[in-house]
Amino acid sequence: MVNRKNIKDVARAAGVSISTVSRVLNDSKGVREELKQKVLDAVQILGYHSNTIARALKGMPTKTFGLLIPSIENPFFPSMVRGVQDEAHRNGYSVFLCNTDGSGIIEEAQFRLLLDKKVDGIILVASKYTTKYLKKENNELPIVMMDRYVRSPNYSYVTVDHSVGVRLAMDHLRTLGHKRIAFLGSKLISSGARERFQAYKRYMIDLRSKLDESLVVLGDYTYESGIKMTEELLRRDVKFDSILCGNDLIAFGVIEVLKQKGIAVPDSISVVGYDDIAFSSYYTPKLTTVHQPTYDVGQLSAKMLIDMISGVDRRVKHIKIEPSLAIRETTLRVGSDSH
Amino acid sequence: MVNRKNIKDVARAAGVSISTVSRVLNDSKGVREELKQKVLDAVQILGYHSNTIARALKGMPTKTFGLLIPSIENPFFPSMVRGVQDEAHRNGYSVFLCNTDGSGIIEEAQFRLLLDKKVDGIILVASKYTTKYLKKENNELPIVMMDRYVRSPNYSYVTVDHSVGVRLAMDHLRTLGHKRIAFLGSKLISSGARERFQAYKRYMIDLRSKLDESLVVLGDYTYESGIKMTEELLRRDVKFDSILCGNDLIAFGVIEVLKQKGIAVPDSISVVGYDDIAFSSYYTPKLTTVHQPTYDVGQLSAKMLIDMISGVDRRVKHIKIEPSLAIRETTLRVGSDSH
DNA sequence: GTGAAAGCGCTAACAT
DNA sequence: ATGTTAGCGCTTTCAC
């Protein structure tokens, strides 16, 4: 740091003009091999790094992009963020991480701030507020929606195919002989929540031509909500032999309540989670859950964004990655007795 | 975005010179109230935002800082990162998040990259590599070490007082009548790991004038390591009535193995974790653990950094926040029987 | 093929 | 109190 070298120093040391240095560094061709070498040597000796800020002022890329997520404290996101960052750093990008807490105001403010910081692109987990400020403000800035998205021919997204995830879980439960499968999920405020519930609904209708609404409770994607929803389900006094949860956090809440009520999992009731956060395999009993390839979603989102930025591939793409089912210890064949 | 306004546009619209605009925006005083108002109006109408990049080129602060942590996938960090970010955004800062994976090479490279990006300061979770590149490169850049630190009169840090944390846990166990308390922790590669082990050692020596080394196993801060260490402890065939774990992940591994071996927790063996990650209270049985105020550590680190940057308070400070004990379901009085 | 010079948007020193 | 101007470090015409 002490004495930051600039392009002038390099030019002087190499005995050439600054434009030649600039040319070499941006490998625009048309520099004699000999001079090129001199410049490269000088760069080496002086330990020169070109100043990103100055380049940015000339409209060059900042090698920086923004990542807008609801909250890094939501255990669903860390590995996705990691996927984004790993791909970013592999390509020389730094990333600004911002939390929106699901607030449209914060989301838009953060988005603006990123624009001010002259990021080369933005990856965001879309909300119902996203489209508004996006169309209001955006021009050519590459944008990728990650996980939660908004249907649009203008924006790329990478997400998980929840119809597959739900089907995997339901088939598994059916195979084990379960007939009355309850659904405790999130209110339908995000693309993922909607898709999961729709897939469940369709499955049940296919099965018995109608949806038994008493089997459904909708809340939030939290442990506390899992607890409340289970209590609500129990209060209804409806028969069920298994529960499909909207995410793993809900599942933990579910299992906790069932345990308190002396209802054994999986012996009496089978429980399936959704997400497969790291914790699900540390839990006792280990949670059977739909595995979302979150790291891959993050990585692919970043790759797509970088391709858009660099101009390698500017096309709008809509990608759904297939989830898988992690069968562990919270589901059991109906009528079996593990005791 | 479409047509980014610049200071010239504002000057023209307000009928003043660009320096007047600049003065108003940087509220250096000495501008007639009337003109000031004109400028402010023009700014409003045009929707002008000053260009951070151009300001940065003039050596002004970028309102940006770096945050260097081992990995956001480590469940210990998200809430700490959140603490940092909340404080940052409250003060108009954006933060670059970087993962080092505990590699010195990556850590140094990321650090350099942040320097290149002209961040106003850096918060980092120190490793054994940190001091080297720090003294090699750093000049006046504000630095705060967060959680893990390196003793130095030159660098501020914010961390948790592990001697208190360990004592809280040990006192609790002793109060419940436990005498042979095993310690499964991390190898002594970070300040936190060293302090926790030292505190345990001191406690045991105070208790029976020597440390029984057969009660100690050192590994990593992971679930898998928790499993391995427990198996090792069991293999030694040494008597113990309780286990203090270096972190919660280890504790989950411990409990899993004990369960597999048919050893009841807490009925036969009490287990205490360390960290109190969110998951600890979702776990069954809910984990008794030392609560680290991670959010506060992050928030305070950011506050200190911002104070240093803004010049409000440039002093080097060494702060240790006190942890507390979250008593839950994995510890029990010796001889009680919950059945 | 190479260098001189303009200019990105801004701040601050200097002039008035 | 306000305007004019140099210059931050770089890229990119434009001359040669």
mmCIF file of all heavy atoms in Angstrom, chain C:
data_model
loop_
_atom_site.group_PDB
_atom_site.id
_atom_site.type_symbol
_atom_site.label_atom_id
_atom_site.label_comp_id
_atom_site.label_asym_id
_atom_site.label_seq_id
_atom_site.Cartn_x
_atom_site.Cartn_y
_atom_site.Cartn_z
ATOM 1 P P DG C 1 1.562 -2.301 -36.083
ATOM 2 O OP1 DG C 1 1.998 -3.428 -36.841
ATOM 3 O OP2 DG C 1 0.142 -2.006 -35.801
ATOM 4 O "O5'" DG C 1 2.394 -2.088 -34.743
ATOM 5 C "C5'" DG C 1 3.731 -2.421 -34.615
ATOM 6 C "C4'" DG C 1 4.446 -1.254 -33.999
ATOM 7 O "O4'" DG C 1 3.945 -0.027 -34.595
ATOM 8 C "C3'" DG C 1 4.237 -1.099 -32.489
ATOM 9 O "O3'" DG C 1 5.426 -0.545 -31.939
ATOM 10 C "C2'" DG C 1 3.075 -0.105 -32.409
ATOM 11 C "C1'" DG C 1 3.368 0.805 -33.579
ATOM 12 N N9 DG C 1 2.168 1.395 -34.180
ATOM 13 C C8 DG C 1 1.016 0.768 -34.553
ATOM 14 N N7 DG C 1 0.135 1.586 -35.077
ATOM 15 C C5 DG C 1 0.739 2.839 -35.044
ATOM 16 C C6 DG C 1 0.271 4.101 -35.480
ATOM 17 O O6 DG C 1 -0.818 4.388 -35.996
ATOM 18 N N1 DG C 1 1.228 5.107 -35.263
ATOM 19 C C2 DG C 1 2.460 4.894 -34.713
ATOM 20 N N2 DG C 1 3.240 5.977 -34.591
ATOM 21 N N3 DG C 1 2.917 3.718 -34.307
ATOM 22 C C4 DG C 1 2.002 2.732 -34.490
ATOM 23 P P DT C 2 5.663 -0.372 -30.414
ATOM 24 O OP1 DT C 2 7.107 -0.482 -30.127
ATOM 25 O OP2 DT C 2 4.707 -1.273 -29.732
ATOM 26 O "O5'" DT C 2 5.234 1.117 -30.155
ATOM 27 C "C5'" DT C 2 6.195 2.150 -30.405
ATOM 28 C "C4'" DT C 2 5.539 3.481 -30.220
ATOM 29 O "O4'" DT C 2 4.332 3.560 -30.987
ATOM 30 C "C3'" DT C 2 5.122 3.793 -28.786
ATOM 31 O "O3'" DT C 2 6.098 4.676 -28.242
ATOM 32 C "C2'" DT C 2 3.738 4.443 -28.917
ATOM 33 C "C1'" DT C 2 3.577 4.602 -30.415
ATOM 34 N N1 DT C 2 2.192 4.483 -30.956
ATOM 35 C C2 DT C 2 1.579 5.605 -31.454
ATOM 36 O O2 DT C 2 2.098 6.709 -31.456
ATOM 37 N N3 DT C 2 0.313 5.407 -31.949
ATOM 38 C C4 DT C 2 -0.379 4.193 -31.997
ATOM 39 O O4 DT C 2 -1.506 4.128 -32.468
ATOM 40 C C5 DT C 2 0.323 3.062 -31.464
ATOM 41 C C7 DT C 2 -0.322 1.727 -31.467
ATOM 42 C C6 DT C 2 1.566 3.241 -30.964
ATOM 43 P P DG C 3 5.930 5.210 -26.739
ATOM 44 O OP1 DG C 3 7.284 5.445 -26.168
ATOM 45 O OP2 DG C 3 4.978 4.346 -26.040
ATOM 46 O "O5'" DG C 3 5.268 6.626 -27.019
ATOM 47 C "C5'" DG C 3 5.955 7.547 -27.846
ATOM 48 C "C4'" DG C 3 5.116 8.804 -28.000
ATOM 49 O "O4'" DG C 3 3.897 8.475 -28.712
ATOM 50 C "C3'" DG C 3 4.672 9.441 -26.683
ATOM 51 O "O3'" DG C 3 4.779 10.857 -26.822
ATOM 52 C "C2'" DG C 3 3.228 9.009 -26.547
ATOM 53 C "C1'" DG C 3 2.783 8.981 -28.005
ATOM 54 N N9 DG C 3 1.683 8.074 -28.277
ATOM 55 C C8 DG C 3 1.609 6.744 -27.952
ATOM 56 N N7 DG C 3 0.500 6.175 -28.353
ATOM 57 C C5 DG C 3 -0.201 7.188 -28.980
ATOM 58 C C6 DG C 3 -1.474 7.160 -29.609
ATOM 59 O O6 DG C 3 -2.231 6.215 -29.748
ATOM 60 N N1 DG C 3 -1.824 8.409 -30.119
ATOM 61 C C2 DG C 3 -1.035 9.535 -30.029
ATOM 62 N N2 DG C 3 -1.528 10.652 -30.564
ATOM 63 N N3 DG C 3 0.155 9.572 -29.446
ATOM 64 C C4 DG C 3 0.508 8.358 -28.944
ATOM 65 P P DA C 4 4.638 11.810 -25.556
ATOM 66 O OP1 DA C 4 5.974 12.391 -25.292
ATOM 67 O OP2 DA C 4 3.937 11.066 -24.490
ATOM 68 O "O5'" DA C 4 3.649 12.928 -26.095
ATOM 69 C "C5'" DA C 4 3.391 13.075 -27.481
ATOM 70 C "C4'" DA C 4 2.166 13.975 -27.679
ATOM 71 O "O4'" DA C 4 1.011 13.142 -27.961
ATOM 72 C "C3'" DA C 4 1.767 14.824 -26.490
ATOM 73 O "O3'" DA C 4 1.157 16.005 -26.999
ATOM 74 C "C2'" DA C 4 0.792 13.934 -25.736
ATOM 75 C "C1'" DA C 4 0.080 13.238 -26.890
ATOM 76 N N9 DA C 4 -0.343 11.868 -26.609
ATOM 77 C C8 DA C 4 0.341 10.909 -25.910
ATOM 78 N N7 DA C 4 -0.277 9.748 -25.841
ATOM 79 C C5 DA C 4 -1.457 9.972 -26.551
ATOM 80 C C6 DA C 4 -2.537 9.140 -26.849
ATOM 81 N N6 DA C 4 -2.612 7.856 -26.473
ATOM 82 N N1 DA C 4 -3.554 9.660 -27.563
ATOM 83 C C2 DA C 4 -3.470 10.940 -27.955
ATOM 84 N N3 DA C 4 -2.498 11.825 -27.749
ATOM 85 C C4 DA C 4 -1.509 11.266 -27.024
ATOM 86 P P DA C 5 0.509 17.095 -26.010
ATOM 87 O OP1 DA C 5 0.537 18.375 -26.774
ATOM 88 O OP2 DA C 5 1.096 16.996 -24.663
ATOM 89 O "O5'" DA C 5 -1.004 16.594 -25.942
ATOM 90 C "C5'" DA C 5 -1.735 16.432 -27.158
ATOM 91 C "C4'" DA C 5 -3.200 16.194 -26.833
ATOM 92 O "O4'" DA C 5 -3.400 14.801 -26.489
ATOM 93 C "C3'" DA C 5 -3.717 16.975 -25.634
ATOM 94 O "O3'" DA C 5 -5.085 17.230 -25.872
ATOM 95 C "C2'" DA C 5 -3.570 15.988 -24.488
ATOM 96 C "C1'" DA C 5 -3.993 14.724 -25.205
ATOM 97 N N9 DA C 5 -3.537 13.481 -24.593
ATOM 98 C C8 DA C 5 -2.433 13.261 -23.814
ATOM 99 N N7 DA C 5 -2.291 12.018 -23.426
ATOM 100 C C5 DA C 5 -3.380 11.376 -23.994
ATOM 101 C C6 DA C 5 -3.809 10.043 -23.963
ATOM 102 N N6 DA C 5 -3.160 9.076 -23.317
ATOM 103 N N1 DA C 5 -4.942 9.742 -24.651
ATOM 104 C C2 DA C 5 -5.594 10.713 -25.302
ATOM 105 N N3 DA C 5 -5.283 12.008 -25.404
ATOM 106 C C4 DA C 5 -4.151 12.267 -24.719
ATOM 107 P P DA C 6 -5.866 18.382 -25.075
ATOM 108 O OP1 DA C 6 -5.703 19.629 -25.836
ATOM 109 O OP2 DA C 6 -5.471 18.320 -23.644
ATOM 110 O "O5'" DA C 6 -7.376 17.898 -25.208
ATOM 111 C "C5'" DA C 6 -7.785 17.164 -26.369
ATOM 112 C "C4'" DA C 6 -8.888 16.191 -25.978
ATOM 113 O "O4'" DA C 6 -8.305 15.004 -25.391
ATOM 114 C "C3'" DA C 6 -9.845 16.748 -24.927
ATOM 115 O "O3'" DA C 6 -11.153 16.340 -25.269
ATOM 116 C "C2'" DA C 6 -9.361 16.126 -23.629
ATOM 117 C "C1'" DA C 6 -8.904 14.768 -24.129
ATOM 118 N N9 DA C 6 -7.912 14.087 -23.301
ATOM 119 C C8 DA C 6 -6.832 14.632 -22.648
ATOM 120 N N7 DA C 6 -6.097 13.751 -22.002
ATOM 121 C C5 DA C 6 -6.745 12.546 -22.256
ATOM 122 C C6 DA C 6 -6.467 11.222 -21.853
ATOM 123 N N6 DA C 6 -5.435 10.889 -21.097
ATOM 124 N N1 DA C 6 -7.316 10.253 -22.274
ATOM 125 C C2 DA C 6 -8.355 10.598 -23.041
ATOM 126 N N3 DA C 6 -8.716 11.805 -23.491
ATOM 127 C C4 DA C 6 -7.863 12.734 -23.052
ATOM 128 P P DG C 7 -12.427 17.037 -24.597
ATOM 129 O OP1 DG C 7 -13.503 17.116 -25.603
ATOM 130 O OP2 DG C 7 -11.961 18.239 -23.876
ATOM 131 O "O5'" DG C 7 -12.835 15.950 -23.507
ATOM 132 C "C5'" DG C 7 -13.147 14.627 -23.925
ATOM 133 C "C4'" DG C 7 -13.320 13.775 -22.695
ATOM 134 O "O4'" DG C 7 -12.018 13.422 -22.163
ATOM 135 C "C3'" DG C 7 -14.043 14.489 -21.533
ATOM 136 O "O3'" DG C 7 -14.916 13.553 -20.935
ATOM 137 C "C2'" DG C 7 -12.923 14.822 -20.563
ATOM 138 C "C1'" DG C 7 -12.054 13.602 -20.763
ATOM 139 N N9 DG C 7 -10.698 13.683 -20.263
ATOM 140 C C8 DG C 7 -9.908 14.797 -20.091
ATOM 141 N N7 DG C 7 -8.723 14.510 -19.611
ATOM 142 C C5 DG C 7 -8.735 13.123 -19.448
ATOM 143 C C6 DG C 7 -7.744 12.242 -18.958
ATOM 144 O O6 DG C 7 -6.622 12.508 -18.559
ATOM 145 N N1 DG C 7 -8.183 10.913 -18.962
ATOM 146 C C2 DG C 7 -9.425 10.506 -19.391
ATOM 147 N N2 DG C 7 -9.682 9.205 -19.320
ATOM 148 N N3 DG C 7 -10.370 11.323 -19.856
ATOM 149 C C4 DG C 7 -9.954 12.604 -19.853
ATOM 150 P P DC C 8 -16.366 13.996 -20.495
ATOM 151 O OP1 DC C 8 -17.243 14.055 -21.660
ATOM 152 O OP2 DC C 8 -16.177 15.177 -19.634
ATOM 153 O "O5'" DC C 8 -16.834 12.807 -19.551
ATOM 154 C "C5'" DC C 8 -16.932 11.467 -19.994
ATOM 155 C "C4'" DC C 8 -16.596 10.558 -18.839
ATOM 156 O "O4'" DC C 8 -15.175 10.488 -18.701
ATOM 157 C "C3'" DC C 8 -17.085 11.099 -17.491
ATOM 158 O "O3'" DC C 8 -18.384 10.550 -17.233
ATOM 159 C "C2'" DC C 8 -16.051 10.580 -16.497
ATOM 160 C "C1'" DC C 8 -14.833 10.226 -17.357
ATOM 161 N N1 DC C 8 -13.589 11.002 -17.085
ATOM 162 C C2 DC C 8 -12.407 10.327 -16.754
ATOM 163 O O2 DC C 8 -12.419 9.095 -16.665
ATOM 164 N N3 DC C 8 -11.272 11.040 -16.531
ATOM 165 C C4 DC C 8 -11.291 12.375 -16.633
ATOM 166 N N4 DC C 8 -10.149 13.026 -16.408
ATOM 167 C C5 DC C 8 -12.480 13.080 -16.982
ATOM 168 C C6 DC C 8 -13.590 12.360 -17.188
ATOM 169 P P DG C 9 -19.624 11.554 -16.972
ATOM 170 O OP1 DG C 9 -20.843 10.745 -17.057
ATOM 171 O OP2 DG C 9 -19.462 12.775 -17.792
ATOM 172 O "O5'" DG C 9 -19.391 11.982 -15.453
ATOM 173 C "C5'" DG C 9 -19.484 11.008 -14.427
ATOM 174 C "C4'" DG C 9 -18.971 11.610 -13.146
ATOM 175 O "O4'" DG C 9 -17.590 11.963 -13.309
ATOM 176 C "C3'" DG C 9 -19.690 12.897 -12.720
ATOM 177 O "O3'" DG C 9 -20.187 12.692 -11.419
ATOM 178 C "C2'" DG C 9 -18.616 13.973 -12.806
ATOM 179 C "C1'" DG C 9 -17.333 13.172 -12.636
ATOM 180 N N9 DG C 9 -16.166 13.748 -13.271
ATOM 181 C C8 DG C 9 -16.107 14.434 -14.457
ATOM 182 N N7 DG C 9 -14.896 14.813 -14.785
ATOM 183 C C5 DG C 9 -14.097 14.345 -13.737
ATOM 184 C C6 DG C 9 -12.694 14.448 -13.539
ATOM 185 O O6 DG C 9 -11.856 14.983 -14.268
ATOM 186 N N1 DG C 9 -12.298 13.823 -12.363
ATOM 187 C C2 DG C 9 -13.149 13.200 -11.494
ATOM 188 N N2 DG C 9 -12.591 12.667 -10.405
ATOM 189 N N3 DG C 9 -14.463 13.090 -11.662
ATOM 190 C C4 DG C 9 -14.863 13.685 -12.807
ATOM 191 P P DC C 10 -20.772 13.841 -10.533
ATOM 192 O OP1 DC C 10 -21.719 13.225 -9.602
ATOM 193 O OP2 DC C 10 -21.196 14.968 -11.362
ATOM 194 O "O5'" DC C 10 -19.506 14.289 -9.691
ATOM 195 C "C5'" DC C 10 -19.053 13.443 -8.644
ATOM 196 C "C4'" DC C 10 -17.661 13.831 -8.252
ATOM 197 O "O4'" DC C 10 -16.924 14.174 -9.428
ATOM 198 C "C3'" DC C 10 -17.561 15.072 -7.387
ATOM 199 O "O3'" DC C 10 -17.653 14.667 -6.030
ATOM 200 C "C2'" DC C 10 -16.178 15.607 -7.709
ATOM 201 C "C1'" DC C 10 -15.794 14.918 -9.023
ATOM 202 N N1 DC C 10 -15.412 15.818 -10.130
ATOM 203 C C2 DC C 10 -14.084 16.186 -10.257
ATOM 204 O O2 DC C 10 -13.271 15.789 -9.412
ATOM 205 N N3 DC C 10 -13.710 16.968 -11.298
ATOM 206 C C4 DC C 10 -14.621 17.366 -12.193
ATOM 207 N N4 DC C 10 -14.209 18.135 -13.215
ATOM 208 C C5 DC C 10 -15.991 17.013 -12.086
ATOM 209 C C6 DC C 10 -16.345 16.241 -11.039
ATOM 210 P P DT C 11 -17.765 15.825 -4.931
ATOM 211 O OP1 DT C 11 -18.197 15.147 -3.702
ATOM 212 O OP2 DT C 11 -18.516 16.961 -5.477
ATOM 213 O "O5'" DT C 11 -16.249 16.286 -4.756
ATOM 214 C "C5'" DT C 11 -15.336 15.384 -4.167
ATOM 215 C "C4'" DT C 11 -13.992 16.064 -3.997
ATOM 216 O "O4'" DT C 11 -13.553 16.604 -5.272
ATOM 217 C "C3'" DT C 11 -13.982 17.225 -3.015
ATOM 218 O "O3'" DT C 11 -12.774 17.102 -2.271
ATOM 219 C "C2'" DT C 11 -13.978 18.464 -3.906
ATOM 220 C "C1'" DT C 11 -13.197 17.963 -5.119
ATOM 221 N N1 DT C 11 -13.493 18.584 -6.439
ATOM 222 C C2 DT C 11 -12.437 18.955 -7.237
ATOM 223 O O2 DT C 11 -11.271 18.837 -6.911
ATOM 224 N N3 DT C 11 -12.796 19.482 -8.461
ATOM 225 C C4 DT C 11 -14.083 19.667 -8.948
ATOM 226 O O4 DT C 11 -14.263 20.140 -10.071
ATOM 227 C C5 DT C 11 -15.142 19.255 -8.061
ATOM 228 C C7 DT C 11 -16.559 19.410 -8.488
ATOM 229 C C6 DT C 11 -14.806 18.738 -6.853
ATOM 230 P P DA C 12 -12.522 18.016 -0.986
ATOM 231 O OP1 DA C 12 -11.834 17.170 0.016
ATOM 232 O OP2 DA C 12 -13.758 18.728 -0.649
ATOM 233 O "O5'" DA C 12 -11.453 19.056 -1.534
ATOM 234 C "C5'" DA C 12 -10.274 18.547 -2.151
ATOM 235 C "C4'" DA C 12 -9.448 19.705 -2.627
ATOM 236 O "O4'" DA C 12 -10.010 20.235 -3.851
ATOM 237 C "C3'" DA C 12 -9.422 20.887 -1.660
ATOM 238 O "O3'" DA C 12 -8.169 21.533 -1.801
ATOM 239 C "C2'" DA C 12 -10.536 21.776 -2.179
ATOM 240 C "C1'" DA C 12 -10.340 21.595 -3.672
ATOM 241 N N9 DA C 12 -11.525 21.855 -4.463
ATOM 242 C C8 DA C 12 -12.835 21.798 -4.079
ATOM 243 N N7 DA C 12 -13.685 22.069 -5.035
ATOM 244 C C5 DA C 12 -12.885 22.325 -6.125
ATOM 245 C C6 DA C 12 -13.174 22.671 -7.452
ATOM 246 N N6 DA C 12 -14.424 22.823 -7.909
ATOM 247 N N1 DA C 12 -12.127 22.854 -8.296
ATOM 248 C C2 DA C 12 -10.890 22.695 -7.828
ATOM 249 N N3 DA C 12 -10.492 22.355 -6.591
ATOM 250 C C4 DA C 12 -11.548 22.188 -5.793
ATOM 251 P P DA C 13 -7.624 22.427 -0.626
ATOM 252 O OP1 DA C 13 -7.292 21.515 0.475
ATOM 253 O OP2 DA C 13 -8.548 23.567 -0.400
ATOM 254 O "O5'" DA C 13 -6.279 23.014 -1.249
ATOM 255 C "C5'" DA C 13 -5.712 22.441 -2.427
ATOM 256 C "C4'" DA C 13 -5.521 23.507 -3.501
ATOM 257 O "O4'" DA C 13 -6.763 23.683 -4.235
ATOM 258 C "C3'" DA C 13 -5.142 24.887 -2.950
ATOM 259 O "O3'" DA C 13 -4.079 25.410 -3.735
ATOM 260 C "C2'" DA C 13 -6.424 25.715 -3.109
ATOM 261 C "C1'" DA C 13 -7.060 25.063 -4.338
ATOM 262 N N9 DA C 13 -8.515 25.174 -4.389
ATOM 263 C C8 DA C 13 -9.415 24.941 -3.378
ATOM 264 N N7 DA C 13 -10.669 25.115 -3.724
ATOM 265 C C5 DA C 13 -10.587 25.482 -5.062
ATOM 266 C C6 DA C 13 -11.571 25.804 -6.011
ATOM 267 N N6 DA C 13 -12.884 25.794 -5.749
ATOM 268 N N1 DA C 13 -11.169 26.132 -7.253
ATOM 269 C C2 DA C 13 -9.851 26.141 -7.522
ATOM 270 N N3 DA C 13 -8.829 25.844 -6.720
ATOM 271 C C4 DA C 13 -9.276 25.526 -5.490
ATOM 272 P P DC C 14 -3.348 26.763 -3.377
ATOM 273 O OP1 DC C 14 -1.926 26.575 -3.692
ATOM 274 O OP2 DC C 14 -3.784 27.188 -2.034
ATOM 275 O "O5'" DC C 14 -3.965 27.768 -4.455
ATOM 276 C "C5'" DC C 14 -3.980 27.410 -5.834
ATOM 277 C "C4'" DC C 14 -4.909 28.332 -6.566
ATOM 278 O "O4'" DC C 14 -6.272 28.031 -6.216
ATOM 279 C "C3'" DC C 14 -4.707 29.811 -6.218
ATOM 280 O "O3'" DC C 14 -4.245 30.491 -7.378
ATOM 281 C "C2'" DC C 14 -6.080 30.294 -5.760
ATOM 282 C "C1'" DC C 14 -7.011 29.235 -6.347
ATOM 283 N N1 DC C 14 -8.293 29.070 -5.608
ATOM 284 C C2 DC C 14 -9.502 29.216 -6.288
ATOM 285 O O2 DC C 14 -9.485 29.486 -7.499
ATOM 286 N N3 DC C 14 -10.669 29.076 -5.610
ATOM 287 C C4 DC C 14 -10.644 28.794 -4.305
ATOM 288 N N4 DC C 14 -11.823 28.660 -3.682
ATOM 289 C C5 DC C 14 -9.424 28.636 -3.591
ATOM 290 C C6 DC C 14 -8.282 28.781 -4.271
ATOM 291 P P DA C 15 -3.972 32.077 -7.269
ATOM 292 O OP1 DA C 15 -2.882 32.366 -8.219
ATOM 293 O OP2 DA C 15 -3.878 32.502 -5.866
ATOM 294 O "O5'" DA C 15 -5.336 32.635 -7.866
ATOM 295 C "C5'" DA C 15 -5.521 32.697 -9.276
ATOM 296 C "C4'" DA C 15 -6.947 33.114 -9.555
ATOM 297 O "O4'" DA C 15 -7.825 32.482 -8.603
ATOM 298 C "C3'" DA C 15 -7.192 34.624 -9.435
ATOM 299 O "O3'" DA C 15 -7.724 35.097 -10.661
ATOM 300 C "C2'" DA C 15 -8.187 34.767 -8.282
ATOM 301 C "C1'" DA C 15 -8.846 33.387 -8.251
ATOM 302 N N9 DA C 15 -9.330 33.006 -6.923
ATOM 303 C C8 DA C 15 -8.582 32.776 -5.804
ATOM 304 N N7 DA C 15 -9.293 32.428 -4.748
ATOM 305 C C5 DA C 15 -10.599 32.442 -5.214
ATOM 306 C C6 DA C 15 -11.832 32.172 -4.591
ATOM 307 N N6 DA C 15 -11.936 31.829 -3.316
ATOM 308 N N1 DA C 15 -12.952 32.281 -5.341
ATOM 309 C C2 DA C 15 -12.832 32.633 -6.638
ATOM 310 N N3 DA C 15 -11.730 32.900 -7.338
ATOM 311 C C4 DA C 15 -10.638 32.794 -6.554
ATOM 312 P P DT C 16 -7.684 36.622 -10.960
ATOM 313 O OP1 DT C 16 -7.654 36.706 -12.422
ATOM 314 O OP2 DT C 16 -6.641 37.250 -10.113
ATOM 315 O "O5'" DT C 16 -9.105 37.125 -10.464
ATOM 316 C "C5'" DT C 16 -10.275 36.700 -11.155
ATOM 317 C "C4'" DT C 16 -11.487 36.983 -10.306
ATOM 318 O "O4'" DT C 16 -11.398 36.266 -9.061
ATOM 319 C "C3'" DT C 16 -11.617 38.455 -9.904
ATOM 320 O "O3'" DT C 16 -12.728 39.024 -10.604
ATOM 321 C "C2'" DT C 16 -11.890 38.436 -8.398
ATOM 322 C "C1'" DT C 16 -12.203 36.968 -8.151
ATOM 323 N N1 DT C 16 -11.904 36.483 -6.774
ATOM 324 C C2 DT C 16 -12.959 36.017 -6.020
ATOM 325 O O2 DT C 16 -14.101 35.973 -6.413
ATOM 326 N N3 DT C 16 -12.600 35.596 -4.764
ATOM 327 C C4 DT C 16 -11.329 35.596 -4.199
ATOM 328 O O4 DT C 16 -11.131 35.196 -3.059
ATOM 329 C C5 DT C 16 -10.292 36.099 -5.053
ATOM 330 C C7 DT C 16 -8.891 36.160 -4.550
ATOM 331 C C6 DT C 16 -10.620 36.521 -6.300
#
